[in-house]
Amino acid sequence: MKKNINYHKEQESFENLIQLKFPEGMVCKNCGGKEFWEKPVKRIAVCRHCRSEKSPLAGTMLHRSHISLEQWSGIIKLMINSADRVITAKTIFREIPLGSYRSAWNALRKIRYAISFHREDEHLVGEVEFDEIIKRGQGEDYRKVSILGALEMSGEKRLSLRMVKNPDEMNIKDYFKKNFDKNTVFIVDPQKLYLRNWLELNRFKQKSSITAYGGKFMNIHIVLQDVKYGLRNGHHNVSEQFLQEYLDEYQFIFNNNDNRENAEQLVMGYLMNTPIEGFNKRTEDKKSFLSIFLPK
């Protein structure tokens, strides 16, 4: 890695990461000093007063990563600018010389985990289109999983995507409560009576897509088909354990499409401010999860 490293780029990236992790400046735990020499290749900072070393990346999602900081930036850029909004490790491995496919796969898992870790509920207002994709598991475990999609049609036109297992009135109520207020008007397919019943039971206003547009077609249909296409063609099937992270990735990129440069900074900040312990613990979890099949 050192032979191909761009030292100037590494210096810029390292300084940027320190700023994202310590916006008010680093402080030496040993002497309280605030001045450091930076060694970006070793990824450490040395206190100018007591000469103690500090690793700004310790405990973060970049902890002990053999991937260069320039390559991390490249991976994030590819993800943010992906036409499908769901990028695969195969694409990353083809575009960036990481050394192995597994490195690309693990880097994407870390980024998706960090985005999900910092996900905030999108509080959509005004008129909102609402629909869902219903998927079922394969084999003996044939539980239903829904991907709920809501698209704001005014203001910032934000998107909300949520996976709900075995959706019913009880477990879907929390989704409505966190993402919408009582003044929201939902535009729905008039033939999907169960969606209309959910909204009515939660006392939300609703409007038929035929009344709103003169037909059943809605923009949210394009979004959900895009999600299904990206997941199906990129991954063929997705574990229930990771499906929400893929949805969070898509939602994040969609909602930050107008400012991609800022989105890249946000993701770098997420990586620097997400503890890696949770990611490692989940990776070690041997629990069996439902595989979601995404047919054509």
Side-chain angles (χ1 to χ4, degrees), residues 143-146 163-168 171 240 287 290:
R143 292 171 292 173
K144 184 170 76 171
V145 172
S146 280
M163 179 193 80
V164 179
K165 292 184 287 185
N166 299 311
D168 57 32
N171 64 13
E240 163 193 321
K287 180 182 176 182
L290 172 67

Side-chain angles (χ1 to χ4, degrees), residues 1-7 10 40-41 43 65-69 71:
M1 184 182 80
K2 289 185 179 181
K3 291 182 180 179
N4 300 319
I5 199 168
N6 184 320
Y7 292 94
E10 288 295 293
V41 176
R43 300 179 182 178
S65 171
H66 71 278
I67 300 174
S68 74
L69 302 183
Q71 288 174 329

Side-chain angles (χ1 to χ4, degrees), residues 86-98:
V86 178
I87 198 166
T88 65
K90 184 177 180 180
T91 301
I92 297 294
F93 181 59
R94 184 175 64 245
E95 298 292 332
I96 299 176
L98 297 177

Side-chain angles (χ1 to χ4, degrees), residues 40-279:
V41 176
K42 292 186 176 181
R43 300 179 182 178
I44 61 173
V46 182
C47 178
R48 288 176 180 265
H49 298 282
C50 67
R51 303 298 192 270
S52 63
E53 297 180 349
K54 179 181 180 67
S55 174
L57 277 59
T60 73
M61 298 300 288
L62 302 181
H63 182 62
R64 293 184 177 178
S65 171
H66 71 278
I67 300 174
S68 74
L69 302 183
E70 182 184 3
Q71 288 174 329
W72 272 109
S73 181
I75 294 170
I76 294 169
K77 189 180 291 292
L78 283 174
M79 172 182 276
I80 297 299
N81 291 281
S82 170
D84 294 331
R85 297 194 179 91
V86 178
I87 198 166
T88 65
K90 184 177 180 180
T91 301
I92 297 294
F93 181 59
R94 184 175 64 245
E95 298 292 332
I96 299 176
L98 297 177
S100 70
Y101 172 84
R102 185 172 181 82
S103 294
W105 176 75
N106 200 45
L108 281 180
R109 287 182 60 213
K110 287 184 175 181
I111 293 172
R112 289 183 180 123
Y113 179 84
I115 289 175
S116 273
F117 186 86
H118 290 273
R119 183 199 70 200
E120 295 181 359
D121 292 305
E122 293 287 348
H123 197 70
L124 309 189
V125 297
E127 290 193 342
V128 173
E129 293 182 353
F130 180 58
D131 205 356
E132 74 162 348
I133 301 174
I134 301 175
K135 295 299 162 195
R136 298 183 183 275
Q138 299 183 83
E140 297 179 359
D141 200 346
Y142 206 63
R143 292 171 292 173
K144 184 170 76 171
V145 172
S146 280
I147 299 174
L148 304 179
L151 180 62
E152 192 178 63
M153 298 310 297
S154 58
E156 299 179 18
K157 294 189 176 180
R158 294 165 297 165
L159 172 68
S160 173
L161 294 172
R162 184 65 57 84
M163 179 193 80
V164 179
K165 292 184 287 185
N166 299 311
D168 57 32
E169 171 54 22
M170 294 303 295
N171 64 13
I172 207 169
K173 190 172 185 177
D174 185 58
Y175 171 71
F176 285 128
K177 182 178 179 181
K178 289 182 177 179
N179 291 274
F180 314 99
D181 61 44
K182 292 301 179 180
N183 293 321
T184 302
V185 178
F186 286 90
I187 302 173
V188 295
D189 184 336
Q191 291 187 344
K192 294 191 175 180
L193 297 179
Y194 61 97
L195 294 181
R196 298 178 65 183
N197 288 337
W198 285 346
L199 296 170
E200 186 173 342
L201 288 169
N202 284 278
R203 300 180 181 179
F204 281 106
K205 300 174 185 177
Q206 56 182 285
K207 183 189 296 184
S208 165
S209 58
I210 295 177
T211 302
Y213 306 127
K216 299 177 185 177
F217 179 78
M218 295 186 288
N219 296 284
I220 190 63
H221 293 160
I222 298 176
V223 172
L224 291 178
Q225 286 301 315
D226 195 22
V227 169
K228 185 168 72 171
Y229 174 84
L231 292 173
R232 185 186 68 225
N233 288 275
H235 310 288
H236 306 297
N237 62 71
V238 179
S239 168
E240 163 193 321
Q241 182 186 20
F242 302 111
L243 179 56
Q244 186 60 55
E245 291 181 11
Y246 288 110
L247 299 179
D248 290 339
E249 172 196 2
Y250 187 101
Q251 176 183 305
F252 174 83
I253 295 172
F254 185 98
N255 291 340
N256 289 277
N257 188 58
D258 292 337
N259 194 343
R260 298 184 182 185
E261 186 174 335
N262 182 62
E264 293 172 21
Q265 274 290 89
L266 283 174
V267 175
M268 292 301 294
Y270 292 165
L271 289 171
M272 287 297 289
N273 291 283
T274 302
I276 199 169
E277 289 86 356
F279 175 81

